[in-house]
Amino acid sequence: MAIIQNPLDILDKYFGYSAFREGQQRVIDQVLQGDDSLCVMPTGGGKSVCYQVPALAMEGTVLVISPLISLMKDQVDALHQLGIPAAYINSTLSTEEYFGTMDNALEGKYKLLYVAPERLDSESFLNQLQKMTIPLIAIDEAHCISQWGHDFRPSYRNIHRIFDYLNSRPIVLALTATATPEVQDDICQQLHIPPVSRVVTGFERSNLVFSVVKGQNRDQFVKEYVQKNKNESGIIYAATRKAVEQVYLLLEKSGIQAAKYHAGLSIDERQQQQDRFIMEDARVMVATNAFGMGIDKSNIRYVIHYQMPKNMESYYQEAGRAGRDGLDSDCYLLFSSQDVLTQRFLIEQSPDPSRVSNEIKKMQVMVDYCHTEGCLQKHIIKYFGEEDVEDCGRCGNCTDTREQFDVTVDTQKVLSCVIRMGQRFGKTMVAQVLTGSRNKKLKELNFDELSTYGLMKGRNAKDVADFIEFLISKNYLQVESGPYPTIFVSEDGKDVLLGKVKVWRKGEMVTTVIAKDDPLFNELRAMRLKLAQEAGVPPFVIFSDKTLRDMVAKMPATNEELLTVQGVGETKLERYGEVFLEIIDSFSTQQA
Ligand code: ADP
């Protein structure tokens, strides 16, 4: 393969992009100058390009150390689609495949070789590396090297052993999306990266729209949203296996084909469900936080948290799986006060009791996020240590124009009912008393004799329970932190009962359509799926959604015009150009 020296030419020819993103240019310049570097960029920021472009500009094979086995195959598939020779070595290879790959590697056939860190524990593997020309070692997910990171991997500590085996020391490039300043220091220290060689870009994800939905029926919201966006890929995260099964059933009943993933399923079943989602046999994935590490699918248009997650780190990582391709994507968090108890329960099950109080503190920060009225994106980035952040102008709070209604009288009805019931019951029971339910248990407790019994007759008990949820979120009611979520009237609530303050409630948050429907885009997308199925690779590896949207915008008629579309390089033009140009051509003829 001929070596091209100019990085921008490589980006254009192979990747089909016309400019580097923030930070990429600097990292690549440093690497090509021979400096070791640490690159901290958010998910979707374009870290891979930072070592893939140098790989094409350097003699030899770049070694990429990655802890995510499932990601390796996708990355290598994607590189093959770009016409770049690459391979991976991990435990999924048979002995025969391993030796075949190693033989090719020793002959210098690959520009990039991905390896799992555990390989570095093997003396014989390290001896083999000695025979190769390795100009650069890229260490992906570099936070795994640090004990302070959230995903420490002991094998990462052995990375430095490679240097003892190689004849000349390669350049080192460490990359991560999640590293607090403390973790960054640790990575630099362990890999001897000078502090000046750190490239840290902002944490903001400018194509993500964050929203928090409170005091609303979440099943209804999820059903409506998924229906409205049924052609788009999305993930719905739930906190427990039971909740995953519930949401999965809910979607199934509404005629939506979903995949599901949680630790209660066998390894094979999990793999099968994951493949259905990646290959777009199922558009929606309902999962616990066990799902997602190493998922590289770039066209995830929404991530809905059906319940509040345990902390901000998890939230940003999970929600951040939306929109890696840079197109607008939604991140909804559906909050209920019950979630706080669920998370507290899960945290208290932790095998390490010394971490419980810290975890509870972190969860409290998550609860604060759910209640903030300020910019949500700003709230997140500030948490990660960035100062001087402006409001994003996109999130649910920044764009909230919902009308407010005076609900003081309804609030008084609820609060006085809670008091009359002795402040010893949960929201469902209170809602039943208010709506005049004939439930046997209410009679046994003589609640049908209360003056508040049936005060909200004619209203749906679920709606009243949602209204109670709203009152909890506004702190007029509070939830007991014991084993049962019983509710009681707060000091603020007492002021409402005394008529000192009025209560206002905004209208419901309505579900929206994230990506506008476009007949040509749909045709291109269908062709992409067909080609992907034939090639046995995920659709987004052929072309990203962004590339298809750019085709719709530019309507290329010739090969030269198609090359100006973002994400179309020479190899992809050769492989797929004709089919896609044909679709565009016949579409324009029909329109004419
Ligand atoms: P990360 O590893 O940081 O999460 P990726 O390397 O997967 O991000 O890149 C995310 C997406 O952005 C990919 O679809 C990639 O092709 C695209 N991308 C990377 N660099 C550029 C660029 N300079 N211009 C346009 N798109 C880019």
Side-chain angles (χ1 to χ4, degrees):
M1 225 172 152
I3 299 282
I4 309 175
Q5 287 303 338
N6 183 344
L8 202 56
D9 290 344
I10 295 174
L11 188 73
D12 185 27
K13 177 173 152 63
Y14 286 94
F15 297 83
Y17 300 135
S18 52
F20 282 111
R21 292 220 187 111
E22 192 197 346
Q24 285 177 331
Q25 178 85 54
R26 215 184 120 200
V27 174
I28 292 170
D29 285 349
Q30 285 182 192
V31 169
L32 294 178
Q33 274 163 28
D35 295 337
D36 293 346
S37 309
L38 167 64
C39 162
V40 186
M41 264 184 205
T43 311
K47 287 184 284 301
S48 325
V49 159
C50 295
Y51 54 85
Q52 289 168 348
V53 166
L56 292 161
M58 293 165 133
E59 295 286 353
T61 307
V62 169
L63 201 65
V64 185
I65 297 171
S66 162
L68 307 167
I69 292 182
S70 54
L71 190 71
M72 281 186 199
K73 186 173 179 314
D74 285 353
Q75 290 239 5
V76 168
D77 280 348
L79 287 165
H80 289 166
Q81 290 295 325
L82 297 168
I84 302 171
Y88 61 89
I89 287 184
N90 62 34
S91 54
T92 65
L93 296 188
S94 65
T95 316
E96 215 179 352
E97 287 168 329
Y98 170 74
F99 284 116
T101 307
M102 259 344 268
D103 284 349
N104 286 335
L106 292 176
E107 282 174 35
K109 287 198 176 151
Y110 305 123
K111 288 300 338 172
L112 296 115
L113 182 65
Y114 287 74
V115 295
E118 287 72 22
R119 278 293 139 180
L120 309 177
D121 302 339
S122 149
E123 194 98 358
S124 68
F125 179 73
L126 291 170
N127 276 322
Q128 300 270 49
L129 291 186
Q130 207 168 28
K131 300 176 206 150
M132 290 171 60
T133 307
I134 300 176
L136 168 68
I137 298 187
I139 303 166
D140 210 1
E141 311 290 342
H143 55 271
C144 295
I145 205 171
S146 170
Q147 261 172 339
W148 317 119
H150 53 85
D151 198 20
F152 173 56
R153 289 275 202 122
S155 293
Y156 261 63
R157 296 274 185 185
N158 284 337
I159 289 177
H160 67 90
R161 286 185 63 202
I162 305 180
F163 305 131
D164 302 338
Y165 285 79
L166 299 182
N167 299 327
S168 61
R169 190 186 178 285
I171 301 155
V172 171
L173 171 60
L175 310 110
T176 172
T178 41
T180 57
E182 188 188 27
V183 174
Q184 291 173 24
D185 288 344
D186 200 15
I187 299 172
C188 285
Q189 200 180 357
Q190 293 199 43
L191 295 169
H192 304 293
I193 296 171
V196 286
S197 304
R198 254 184 237 194
V199 179
V200 184
T201 61
F203 279 95
E204 176 167 5
R205 296 281 308 277
S206 56
N207 60 321
L208 299 188
V209 178
F210 289 91
S211 303
V212 177
V213 179
K214 286 177 285 193
Q216 255 176 257
N217 182 329
R218 16 192 192 195
D219 285 355
Q220 190 65 28
F221 187 92
V222 164
K223 236 168 37 186
E224 259 182 50
Y225 185 91
V226 176
Q227 283 283 11
K228 271 191 191 165
N229 295 283
K230 61 177 184 296
N231 290 328
E232 307 299 335
S233 289
I235 307 177
I236 302 172
Y237 278 111
T240 60
R241 297 175 195 182
K242 199 171 139 209
V244 167
E245 292 292 345
Q246 273 169 6
V247 176
Y248 178 79
L249 260 179
L250 173 84
L251 294 179
E252 198 173 50
K253 275 194 201 147
S254 326
I256 297 159
Q257 283 279 327
K260 62 179 171 181
Y261 193 106
H262 57 67
L265 302 175
S266 69
I267 294 182
D268 283 352
E269 204 169 344
R270 269 182 269 166
Q271 188 61 47
Q272 199 188 338
Q273 296 286 331
Q274 177 171 317
D275 288 347
R276 286 183 60 215
F277 178 63
I278 303 288
M279 303 304 255
E280 296 187 1
D281 174 32
R283 289 278 150 80
V284 196
M285 170 58 95
V286 189
T288 58
N289 60 5
F291 174 77
M293 259 297 240
I295 297 302
D296 208 13
K297 187 168 159 56
S298 67
N299 59 339
I300 295 173
R301 286 279 76 80
Y302 61 88
V303 172
I304 299 177
H305 278 76
Y306 183 77
Q307 285 148 313
M308 181 189 77
K310 66 172 188 248
N311 57 40
M312 292 292 275
E313 282 89 344
S314 310
Y315 182 58
Y316 207 43
Q317 195 171 39
E318 288 157 16
R321 296 191 174 121
R324 290 175 82 113
D325 53 12
L327 292 179
D328 287 351
S329 306
D330 280 336
C331 303
Y332 280 102
L333 196 164
L334 313 185
F335 176 82
S336 155
S337 56
Q338 178 72 36
D339 301 346
V340 182
L341 300 177
T342 307
Q343 285 302 348
R344 185 182 281 267
F345 173 80
L346 293 173
I347 290 169
E348 281 166 357
Q349 305 299 302
S350 157
D352 181 359
S354 66
R355 298 188 67 165
V356 169
S357 85
N358 194 34
E359 291 293 315
I360 300 261
K361 264 192 220 139
K362 285 181 150 219
M363 179 191 77
Q364 202 50 51
V365 179
M366 192 68 240
V367 177
D368 293 346
Y369 170 82
C370 295
H371 290 314
T372 181
E373 305 219 323
C375 172
L376 293 167
Q377 171 79 82
K378 182 165 149 181
H379 196 93
I380 298 173
I381 315 179
K382 282 198 135 179
Y383 174 76
F384 287 108
E386 247 173 78
E387 298 295 331
D388 300 328
V389 191
E390 307 258 313
D391 284 357
C392 74
R394 307 179 299 277
C395 72
N397 286 359
C398 281
T399 58
D400 193 359
T401 52
R402 285 174 294 164
E403 209 182 317
Q404 301 212 77
F405 303 94
D406 183 346
V407 288
T408 313
V409 175
D410 276 352
T411 305
Q412 287 167 336
K413 287 179 187 172
V414 172
L415 300 182
S416 64
C417 189
V418 170
I419 289 177
R420 290 202 159 88
M421 289 170 70
Q423 314 204 72
R424 289 182 293 119
F425 296 89
K427 66 175 180 190
T428 313
M429 189 84 130
V430 176
Q432 284 176 351
V433 172
L434 282 161
T435 52
S437 154
R438 294 183 183 282
N439 182 333
K440 233 170 63 196
K441 195 165 170 214
L442 296 192
K443 291 219 153 139
E444 281 165 20
L445 292 161
N446 294 331
F447 284 163
D448 54 343
E449 286 165 24
L450 295 178
S451 60
T452 52
Y453 179 78
L455 209 54
M456 293 174 129
K457 219 177 170 73
R459 306 245 312 246
N460 178 319
K462 183 81 188 84
D463 288 348
V464 175
D466 288 339
F467 180 59
I468 295 175
E469 191 53 59
F470 159 76
L471 296 177
I472 297 170
S473 77
K474 289 286 171 193
N475 205 32
Y476 296 118
L477 280 169
Q478 283 181 329
V479 182
E480 199 64 62
S481 60
Y484 301 104
T486 59
I487 48 180
F488 62 95
V489 177
S490 67
E491 288 306 312
D492 288 352
K494 286 178 190 156
D495 285 344
V496 179
L497 279 172
L498 293 171
K500 287 192 194 164
V501 281
K502 280 190 170 300
V503 182
W504 296 90
R505 187 187 190 189
K506 288 181 178 166
E508 297 223 313
M509 275 192 57
V510 289
T511 54
T512 50
V513 177
I514 181 72
K516 67 171 190 297
D517 202 32
D518 183 293
L520 177 56
F521 179 76
N522 290 340
E523 277 189 46
L524 298 174
R525 173 154 67 177
M527 174 51 75
R528 177 179 69 177
L529 186 61
K530 183 169 166 277
L531 293 170
Q533 282 164 348
E534 282 166 12
V537 295
F540 64 89
V541 162
I542 302 228
F543 281 132
S544 71
D545 278 17
K546 189 159 191 162
T547 301
L548 300 188
R549 290 271 174 210
D550 206 27
M551 284 187 197
V552 174
K554 294 192 174 128
M555 297 292 283
T558 62
N559 281 354
E560 288 65 41
E561 283 172 14
L562 189 54
L563 271 176
T564 68
V565 167
Q566 279 214 40
V568 184
E570 286 180 5
T571 305
K572 290 199 177 171
L573 174 76
E574 206 175 289
R575 281 194 197 160
Y576 309 117
E578 205 178 318
V579 217
F580 282 86
L581 283 176
E582 228 167 73
I583 296 177
I584 296 168
D585 181 47
S586 76
F587 184 85
S588 1
T589 324
Q590 280 166 29
Q591 300 294 303

Short mmCIF file of all heavy atoms in Angstrom, two decimals, residues 21 51 63 85 163 204 231 343 385 401 404 441 523 561 570:
data_model
loop_
_atom_site.label_atom_id
_atom_site.label_comp_id
_atom_site.label_asym_id
_atom_site.label_seq_id
_atom_site.Cartn_x
_atom_site.Cartn_y
_atom_site.Cartn_z
N ARG A 21 -11.87 17.25 12.82
CA ARG A 21 -12.66 17.84 13.89
C ARG A 21 -11.72 18.42 14.94
O ARG A 21 -10.52 18.14 14.93
CB ARG A 21 -13.49 16.75 14.57
CG ARG A 21 -14.56 16.19 13.69
CD ARG A 21 -15.80 15.98 14.53
NE ARG A 21 -16.82 15.29 13.78
CZ ARG A 21 -17.19 14.05 14.04
NH1 ARG A 21 -16.64 13.37 15.02
NH2 ARG A 21 -18.14 13.50 13.34
N TYR A 51 -5.74 7.63 15.32
CA TYR A 51 -4.64 6.66 15.08
C TYR A 51 -4.79 5.96 13.73
O TYR A 51 -3.82 5.43 13.21
CB TYR A 51 -4.53 5.64 16.23
CG TYR A 51 -5.78 4.88 16.57
CD1 TYR A 51 -6.14 3.73 15.87
CD2 TYR A 51 -6.62 5.30 17.59
CE1 TYR A 51 -7.29 3.02 16.19
CE2 TYR A 51 -7.77 4.60 17.91
CZ TYR A 51 -8.11 3.47 17.21
OH TYR A 51 -9.26 2.79 17.51
N LEU A 63 -0.38 -0.93 16.41
CA LEU A 63 -0.98 -1.86 17.36
C LEU A 63 -2.04 -1.10 18.16
O LEU A 63 -1.73 -0.06 18.75
CB LEU A 63 0.13 -2.38 18.29
CG LEU A 63 -0.13 -3.67 19.03
CD1 LEU A 63 -0.25 -4.83 18.04
CD2 LEU A 63 1.02 -3.93 20.00
N PRO A 85 -6.33 -2.51 5.19
CA PRO A 85 -6.09 -3.85 5.73
C PRO A 85 -5.88 -3.83 7.24
O PRO A 85 -5.03 -3.09 7.75
CB PRO A 85 -4.83 -4.32 5.00
CG PRO A 85 -4.19 -3.10 4.45
CD PRO A 85 -5.22 -2.04 4.33
N PHE A 163 7.47 -2.60 25.57
CA PHE A 163 8.68 -1.86 25.22
C PHE A 163 9.95 -2.68 25.43
O PHE A 163 10.93 -2.51 24.75
CB PHE A 163 8.76 -0.54 26.00
CG PHE A 163 7.53 0.30 25.82
CD1 PHE A 163 6.86 0.84 26.91
CD2 PHE A 163 7.02 0.54 24.54
CE1 PHE A 163 5.72 1.60 26.75
CE2 PHE A 163 5.87 1.31 24.38
CZ PHE A 163 5.22 1.84 25.47
N GLU A 204 -19.06 18.63 25.81
CA GLU A 204 -20.41 18.88 25.26
C GLU A 204 -20.67 18.02 24.03
O GLU A 204 -19.79 17.80 23.21
CB GLU A 204 -20.55 20.36 24.89
CG GLU A 204 -21.90 20.60 24.24
CD GLU A 204 -22.29 22.06 24.12
OE1 GLU A 204 -21.47 22.93 24.46
OE2 GLU A 204 -23.42 22.30 23.67
N ASN A 231 -38.97 3.99 12.67
CA ASN A 231 -37.92 3.63 11.70
C ASN A 231 -36.52 3.91 12.22
O ASN A 231 -35.54 3.63 11.55
CB ASN A 231 -38.11 4.42 10.40
CG ASN A 231 -39.34 3.92 9.66
OD1 ASN A 231 -39.65 2.73 9.75
ND2 ASN A 231 -40.02 4.82 8.98
N GLN A 343 -32.83 2.65 43.21
CA GLN A 343 -31.38 2.79 43.11
C GLN A 343 -30.70 2.61 44.47
O GLN A 343 -29.67 1.97 44.57
CB GLN A 343 -30.98 4.15 42.51
CG GLN A 343 -31.19 4.26 41.02
CD GLN A 343 -30.43 3.22 40.21
OE1 GLN A 343 -29.57 2.51 40.69
NE2 GLN A 343 -30.78 3.11 38.94
N GLY A 385 -16.49 18.97 35.40
CA GLY A 385 -15.37 19.86 35.73
C GLY A 385 -15.14 21.00 34.75
O GLY A 385 -14.14 21.71 34.87
N THR A 401 -41.59 25.74 26.58
CA THR A 401 -42.54 26.85 26.44
C THR A 401 -43.94 26.40 26.86
O THR A 401 -44.94 27.00 26.47
CB THR A 401 -42.61 27.32 24.97
OG1 THR A 401 -42.85 26.15 24.17
CG2 THR A 401 -41.35 28.01 24.51
N GLN A 404 -48.61 27.07 31.82
CA GLN A 404 -48.76 26.62 33.21
C GLN A 404 -50.22 26.70 33.65
O GLN A 404 -50.93 27.63 33.25
CB GLN A 404 -47.96 27.52 34.14
CG GLN A 404 -46.50 27.55 33.82
CD GLN A 404 -45.69 27.74 35.08
OE1 GLN A 404 -45.51 26.82 35.85
NE2 GLN A 404 -45.22 28.94 35.31
N LYS A 441 -59.41 -3.62 50.31
CA LYS A 441 -58.48 -3.17 51.36
C LYS A 441 -58.86 -1.78 51.89
O LYS A 441 -58.77 -1.50 53.09
CB LYS A 441 -57.05 -3.14 50.82
CG LYS A 441 -56.04 -3.07 51.92
CD LYS A 441 -54.65 -3.40 51.47
CE LYS A 441 -53.67 -3.06 52.59
NZ LYS A 441 -52.39 -2.60 52.10
N GLU A 523 -35.31 5.17 0.90
CA GLU A 523 -34.87 4.25 -0.16
C GLU A 523 -33.39 3.91 0.00
O GLU A 523 -32.98 2.76 -0.15
CB GLU A 523 -35.08 4.88 -1.55
CG GLU A 523 -36.49 4.72 -2.06
CD GLU A 523 -36.60 5.16 -3.52
OE1 GLU A 523 -35.74 4.76 -4.33
OE2 GLU A 523 -37.55 5.90 -3.84
N GLU A 561 -19.15 13.98 -7.92
CA GLU A 561 -20.07 14.63 -6.97
C GLU A 561 -20.30 13.75 -5.75
O GLU A 561 -20.38 14.24 -4.62
CB GLU A 561 -21.41 14.93 -7.66
CG GLU A 561 -21.30 16.15 -8.58
CD GLU A 561 -22.55 16.36 -9.43
OE1 GLU A 561 -23.60 15.74 -9.14
OE2 GLU A 561 -22.46 17.13 -10.38
N GLU A 570 -12.65 6.67 -1.56
CA GLU A 570 -12.48 5.98 -2.85
C GLU A 570 -12.96 4.53 -2.85
O GLU A 570 -13.59 4.08 -3.80
CB GLU A 570 -11.01 6.07 -3.28
CG GLU A 570 -10.69 7.47 -3.77
CD GLU A 570 -9.26 7.64 -4.21
OE1 GLU A 570 -8.52 6.65 -4.24
OE2 GLU A 570 -8.89 8.79 -4.53
#
